[in-house]
Amino acid sequence: MSTFPGSPKLLQGTLMTLALPSKKVISTISFQYNPETVSRTLQIQATQNEGGARSEALRLKGAPAQTLKFDLEIDATDDLEKADRTAVKLGIYQQLSALEDLIYPDVEQVKKNISNLGKGMLEVIPTEAPLTLLIWGKQRKLPVRITDFSVTEEAYDINLNPIRAKVSLGLRVLTYDDLPTSHQGSQLFLNYHQNLEKLGRK
């Protein structure tokens, strides 16, 4: 990357989690390296035209179901060369833990559920996860759910801490059809939709 003083600053892709309804930021994970490619698939949400009614042929039930797939590279080499304390002690275990934590329920809620089960409660309500956002440039701030998560650890230090890895992520974009209208994620997707339409119809 150019170090020329006038060169534009490279934006880093980010995964962010928010506690609702307070909107307090729980975690911010900026990608060490932006993925070279992002695969996006959009499944059209058309009405079922089983009866053959011509008036239904062009109707849409809502926004398309969008999925994204990309790989993240995490490497501690530079930090190890600088003798960074966290890298020397843990390698990239902290970065991997931050990503993996996105797909786990809150541990305090898990403890509470276990306690309730021990007291004879027959039904425990599944824990609601924080709102996860994918921030990819200025035009895309999307509420998402992680649907696929795989890690290939490629190198380790002498203590078997991973020092280089590839994380493959699959995300499903959450729309106003998935969330209550008052939900922050619903409003964020509506903003994205409005901006997309504005840009597409210029």
Side-chain angles (χ1 to χ4, degrees):
M1 183 173 64
S2 172
T3 57
F4 182 71
S7 61
K9 183 179 179 180
L10 177 66
L11 296 178
Q12 297 299 115
T14 300
L15 286 169
M16 178 184 292
T17 57
L18 302 177
L20 298 179
S22 67
K23 302 179 186 178
K24 178 183 177 181
V25 176
I26 299 173
S27 66
T28 301
I29 305 170
S30 295
F31 304 158
Q32 183 179 7
Y33 306 107
N34 284 332
E36 292 186 1
T37 62
V38 176
S39 174
R40 298 196 301 130
T41 302
L42 288 82
Q43 183 177 2
I44 300 169
Q45 301 300 297
T47 57
Q48 297 295 326
N49 191 19
E50 296 176 357
R54 295 180 181 180
S55 62
E56 301 296 315
L58 297 178
R59 294 189 185 277
L60 298 173
K61 293 188 293 184
Q66 182 176 178
T67 56
L68 302 95
K69 293 184 178 181
F70 54 84
D71 296 332
L72 298 178
E73 302 284 345
I74 308 174
D75 194 328
T77 301
D78 290 344
D79 288 336
L80 289 172
E81 289 178 352
K82 299 173 186 175
D84 177 84
R85 289 186 178 183
T86 301
V88 171
K89 183 179 180 180
L90 297 171
I92 59 169
Y93 196 68
Q94 187 175 52
Q95 295 93 317
L96 290 177
S97 295
L99 286 167
E100 197 167 337
D101 186 50
L102 297 175
I103 57 175
Y104 276 80
D106 180 73
V107 71
E108 292 303 320
Q109 187 62 48
V110 171
K111 290 179 180 179
K112 182 178 178 181
N113 289 345
I114 292 173
S115 175
N116 288 337
L117 287 171
K119 295 175 182 177
M121 185 176 292
L122 297 179
E123 184 177 359
V124 175
I125 299 175
T127 303
E128 182 173 353
L131 175 63
T132 301
L133 303 178
L134 171 66
I135 303 172
W136 188 256
K138 295 180 180 180
Q139 308 301 331
R140 292 177 182 160
K141 188 175 183 181
L142 297 167
V144 296
R145 165 173 281 179
I146 297 176
T147 56
D148 297 289
F149 189 112
S150 65
V151 182
T152 303
E153 297 179 356
E154 299 172 338
Y156 299 88
D157 64 15
I158 58 173
N159 296 312
L160 292 183
N161 290 311
I163 57 174
R164 188 174 69 248
K166 180 175 74 173
V167 180
S168 299
L169 293 178
L171 309 177
R172 182 181 181 277
V173 177
L174 299 176
T175 76
Y176 37 62
D177 296 316
D178 300 308
L179 301 165
T181 55
S182 59
H183 195 282
Q184 178 70 12
S186 179
Q187 185 59 52
L188 285 170
F189 184 81
L190 180 60
N191 293 342
Y192 165 77
H193 183 178
Q194 288 176 326
N195 187 53
L196 182 147
E197 185 174 285
K198 180 180 178 181
L199 291 172
R201 298 185 182 183
K202 277 189 175 182

